[in-house]
């Protein structure tokens, strides 16, 4: 009998708010331990939580971005448990009435479970809760840092629609891209902003009933999720094939050893004794509030990629560059409509402009830091600081397309434009960079090159076609790089064959 995997993910994402969920403490990473704390997020008895309006908005915004329904009634519940990093002895979360439910994520995926190069994972719900503190086990004692306690946390629960490790990986990346684009979360994995519980079972192919759910807790990297599944799925299949009965349990992933190991079975499962928080009003969003949140919905990354590919005939990698760097894409798009060759404009924006900005930033950052400016305070050059207008870049592309200047000259013009803001035509004139397409002048250069280089001429005549390149190079040199290379080739060939 053949077996297949069934996977559902619970993804926890820290929301991008200035302050925490129930108090005014900063939602900031990397501060000294226990400096962003107050009686509320330390879980002192008798304090009252005040919901963070922006966190409520970001939750509903996520619902819209994930194609969810937004119920007109939601509430917060207490999930009771004891753990040193949760000093209230309960976590505030949304149990049976979450703020969003029943959505889906579509993403590019061509493996098992895909349809025409696409994967879809349904979203059961995305509910709002709070993060807990962080335990550290030091050499001689343990400590709890409550800076993270009370940071708004979104839990995005998927339906068990995922069929394998690659699909899980692609889904997580798509989800992350959507949340970053929507301004919901920075999803900085290094800062622990995204964590994932992986639920996986196996069943005979062709059956519908789900097998015993095994949960791998607290994964903090997507590649880790993929590796854990690549271990766990074959482990479960081997077990059932042996005739073992799998039971619902929780496991942990040991990334160094590359194995999962059992932590607890269902017999030890928690009873969280959920009940509605008596200190918090239920949520009943008004139409006006919802409309405001909805107005923040952005084009999804995949839709943007497809639109760029279609509207401007761009290859996928170019379109992806403009999805990953939204301001750059918007800058391109403002010009692309005005150009006959958007692909050429895209090349300039991606290969030249982006590189030049990065180069300037590396140089400037080093300079600023040498003057004692902190890395975080360094001023960075952005598209809005450019000395030239987008029209100037269009003009430059036009000059290249019309063969008025060579590619090499265009690079030079671009450098000058970037540094001084002068118009391309003016630079071409000033530096005498106009490409020579006057055949008379090129004929003369060709004659000179042929006369001065008998060896390559003989080679070419003896059938070494490559010898033409060396003669071409000579002509370009004689023309100071201004001859139209295509014309040079044609004329040289004609003369040598005569
Ligand atoms: P719990 O209440 O224990 O958190 P849920 O039923 O809410 O369990 O499901 C949690 C996650 O596990 C969801 O993402 C869901 O899709 C997934 N899941 C549920 N049952 C299974 C199963 N048998 N195999 C794989 N994933 C499952
Ligand atoms: Mg769970
Ligand atoms: Zn606080």
């Amino acid at each position: 009998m053949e077996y297949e995997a069934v996977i559902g993910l619970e993804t926890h994402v820290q929301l991008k708010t200035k302050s925490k969920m129930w108090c005014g403490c900063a939602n900031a990473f990397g501060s000294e331990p226990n400096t962003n704390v107050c009686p509320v997020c330390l879980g002192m008895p008798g304090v009252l939580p005040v919901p963070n309006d922006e966190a409520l908005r970001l939750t509903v915004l996520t619902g819209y971005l994930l194609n969810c329904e937004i119920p007109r009634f939601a509430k917060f519940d207490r999930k009771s448990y004891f753990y040193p990093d949760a000093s209230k002895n309960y976590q505030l979360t949304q149990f049976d009435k979450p703020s969003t439910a029943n959505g889906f994520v579509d993403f590019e995926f061509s493996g098992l479970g895909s349809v025409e190069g696409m994967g879809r994972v349904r979203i059961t719900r995305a509910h709002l809760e709070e993060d807990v503190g962080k335990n550290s086990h030091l050499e001689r004692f343990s400590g709890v840092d409550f800076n993270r306690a009370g940071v708004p946390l979104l839990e995005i629960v998927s339906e068990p629609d995922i069929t394998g490790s690659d699909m899980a990986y692609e889904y997580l990346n798509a989800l992350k891209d959507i949340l970053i684009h929507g301004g919901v979360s920075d999803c900085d994995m290094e800062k622990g902003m995204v964590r994932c519980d992986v639920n996986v079972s196996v069943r005979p192919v062709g059956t519908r009933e789900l097998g015993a759910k095994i949960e791998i807790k607290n994964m903090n990297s997507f590649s880790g999720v993929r590796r854990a599944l690549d271990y766990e799925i074959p482990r479960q299949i081997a077990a059932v094939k042996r005739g073992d009965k799998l039971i619902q349990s929780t496991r942990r992933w040991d990334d160094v050893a590359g194995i999962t190991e059992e932590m607890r079975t269902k017999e030890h499962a928690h009873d969280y004794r959920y009940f509605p928080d008596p200190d918090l009003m239920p949520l009943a969003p008004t139409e006006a509030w919802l409309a405001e949140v909805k107005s923040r919905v952005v084009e999804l990354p995949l839709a943007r990629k497809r639109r760029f590919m279609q509207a401007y005939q761009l290859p996928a990698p170019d379109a992806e560059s403009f999805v990953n760097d939204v301001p750059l894409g918007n800058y391109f798009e403002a010009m692309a409509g005005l150009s006959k060759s958007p692909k050429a404009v895209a090349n300039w924006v991606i290969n030249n402009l982006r590189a030049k900005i990065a180069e300037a930033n590396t140089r400037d950052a080093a300079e600023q830091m040498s003057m004692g400016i902190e890395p975080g305070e360094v001023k960075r050059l952005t598209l809005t600081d450019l000395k030239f207008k987008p029209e100037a870049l269009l003009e430059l592309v036009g000059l290249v397309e019309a063969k008025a200047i060579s590619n090499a000259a265009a690079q030079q013009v671009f450098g000058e434009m970037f540094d001084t803001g002068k118009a391309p035509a003016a630079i071409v004139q000033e530096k005498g960079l106009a490409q020579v397409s006057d055949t008379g002048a090129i004929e003369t250069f060709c004659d000179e090159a042929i006369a001065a280089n008998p060896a390559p001429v003989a080679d070419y005549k003896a059938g070494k076609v490559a010898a033409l390149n060396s003669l071409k190079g000579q002509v370009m040199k004689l023309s100071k790089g201004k001859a139209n290379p295509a014309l040079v080739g044609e004329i040289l060939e004609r003369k040598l064959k005569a």
Side-chain angles (χ1 to χ4, degrees):
M1 201 171 345
E2 286 307 307
Y3 288 85
E4 65 182 9
V6 176
I7 301 157
L9 299 179
E10 296 162 280
T11 311
H12 294 89
V13 180
Q14 286 185 348
L15 294 177
K16 190 176 174 171
T17 55
K18 289 203 173 68
S19 55
K20 292 189 183 179
M21 189 60 223
W22 314 112
C23 60
C25 293
N27 172 7
F29 178 87
S31 312
E32 283 291 301
N34 297 309
T35 51
N36 300 325
V37 294
C38 72
V40 174
C41 56
L42 285 170
M44 300 287 172
V47 294
L48 285 172
V50 178
N52 180 327
D53 183 52
E54 177 63 0
L56 299 174
R57 286 171 193 267
L58 291 177
T59 301
V60 170
L61 175 58
T62 303
Y64 286 128
L65 294 170
L66 304 182
N67 307 293
C68 289
E69 294 157 14
I70 313 296
R72 296 300 186 269
F73 179 90
K75 67 179 173 66
F76 288 102
D77 304 277
R78 293 186 179 185
K79 178 182 183 182
S80 311
Y81 62 91
F82 170 80
Y83 214 64
D85 60 15
S87 50
K88 291 201 293 271
N89 288 341
Y90 60 83
Q91 181 190 32
L92 282 169
T93 182
Q94 298 183 308
F95 180 50
D96 56 341
K97 296 287 177 192
S99 281
T100 78
N102 300 328
F104 59 88
V105 177
D106 283 338
F107 52 98
E108 287 177 329
F109 173 64
S110 49
L112 186 66
S114 65
V115 180
E116 289 172 7
M118 294 292 297
R120 170 171 290 193
V121 172
R122 287 169 300 155
I123 301 297
T124 317
R125 53 193 281 164
H127 65 257
L128 184 52
E129 52 186 40
E130 57 180 335
D131 213 339
V132 293
K134 203 172 156 72
N135 295 327
S136 297
H137 304 294
L138 308 165
E139 210 169 300
R140 297 184 52 210
F141 56 89
S142 291
V144 189
D145 175 9
F146 285 98
N147 283 347
R148 199 178 70 178
V151 164
L153 198 64
L154 198 63
E155 174 168 343
I156 302 166
V157 182
S158 88
E159 289 290 302
D161 289 346
I162 301 165
T163 57
S165 60
D166 287 338
M167 188 171 178
Y169 184 78
E170 296 303 333
Y171 158 73
L172 286 169
N173 277 303
L175 184 63
K176 175 181 163 191
D177 287 349
I178 292 170
L179 298 175
I180 292 175
H181 264 252
V184 169
S185 171
D186 287 332
C187 292
D188 191 332
M189 311 292 293
E190 245 102 83
K191 297 181 180 165
M193 289 182 186
V194 185
R195 279 114 58 196
C196 192
D197 298 337
V198 179
N199 301 272
V200 50
S201 60
V202 296
R203 66 179 173 199
V205 172
T207 59
R208 301 301 309 157
E209 202 189 326
L210 294 176
K213 182 185 80 172
I214 289 174
E215 181 169 14
I216 311 167
K217 280 275 193 210
N218 231 342
M219 306 289 305
N220 54 19
S221 91
F222 296 167
S223 55
V225 168
R226 182 151 70 180
R227 284 195 296 278
L229 284 168
D230 284 337
Y231 172 85
E232 180 64 15
I233 296 167
R235 186 193 72 81
Q236 291 187 20
I237 292 176
V240 292
K241 282 191 170 169
R242 261 198 319 269
D244 291 359
K245 192 169 157 37
L246 292 171
I247 49 169
Q248 189 174 326
S249 55
T250 303
R251 300 178 73 87
R252 65 178 279 276
W253 167 245
D254 182 334
D255 202 47
V256 177
I259 58 166
T260 60
E261 39 186 27
E262 189 162 282
M263 289 165 70
R264 58 173 184 263
T265 56
K266 200 186 175 186
E267 288 90 291
H268 308 107
H270 290 290
D271 175 4
Y272 293 116
R273 207 170 60 88
Y274 286 98
F275 66 93
D277 188 282
D279 292 336
L280 289 164
M281 292 285 283
L283 301 165
T286 62
E287 292 305 320
W289 188 90
L290 288 172
E292 248 180 72
V293 174
K294 202 164 196 173
S295 72
R296 292 168 66 177
V297 169
V298 295
E299 184 181 32
L300 293 184
L302 182 59
R304 184 173 169 91
K305 176 177 164 184
R306 295 197 160 156
R307 187 167 62 74
F308 272 70
M309 288 175 72
Q310 232 161 39
Y312 309 114
Q313 263 81 59
L314 297 185
D318 286 10
E320 277 160 16
S321 298
F322 292 141
V323 173
N324 297 335
D325 187 339
V326 171
L328 194 74
N330 293 346
Y331 183 87
F332 160 77
E333 196 162 28
M335 292 186 288
L338 305 170
S339 170
K340 280 195 288 294
S341 41
K343 170 67 185 130
V345 176
N347 282 345
W348 274 92
V349 170
I350 294 169
N351 300 331
N352 299 77
L353 179 59
R354 189 172 61 173
K356 202 91 175 130
I357 291 177
E359 189 190 298
N361 274 328
T362 316
R363 194 185 54 221
D364 295 355
E367 194 179 303
Q368 291 178 56
M369 268 146 48
S370 75
M371 299 186 320
I373 294 170
E374 292 291 318
E377 306 287 305
V378 164
K379 220 185 103 40
R380 294 181 61 81
L381 180 73
T382 67
L383 290 165
T384 47
D385 308 320
L386 294 178
K387 292 197 174 131
F388 61 88
K389 292 214 163 60
E391 294 78 35
L393 187 54
L394 274 178
E395 184 190 332
L396 178 64
V397 175
L399 290 173
V400 180
E401 294 285 298
K403 302 208 161 42
I405 55 176
S406 68
N407 263 315
Q411 299 290 344
Q412 213 181 321
V413 174
F414 182 68
E416 180 81 11
M417 238 168 93
F418 189 88
D419 291 338
T420 65
K422 277 189 201 155
I427 300 169
V428 169
Q429 191 145 58
E430 197 179 286
K431 301 211 177 260
L433 290 169
Q435 182 157 266
V436 177
S437 290
D438 160 12
T439 44
I442 297 177
E443 300 252 357
T444 313
F445 290 136
C446 288
D447 288 338
E448 276 179 47
I450 289 170
N453 297 282
V457 170
D459 285 350
Y460 182 80
K461 288 191 170 162
K464 281 192 197 153
V465 185
L468 192 67
N469 287 335
S470 122
L471 290 169
K472 254 186 176 177
Q474 293 302 322
V475 176
M476 292 310 289
K477 220 183 235 170
L478 289 168
S479 78
K480 301 204 169 59
K482 286 186 271 177
N484 179 330
L487 278 179
V488 173
E490 271 170 39
I491 293 171
L492 272 176
E493 258 180 276
R494 172 165 52 73
K495 285 186 183 292
L496 291 168
K497 281 183 180 150

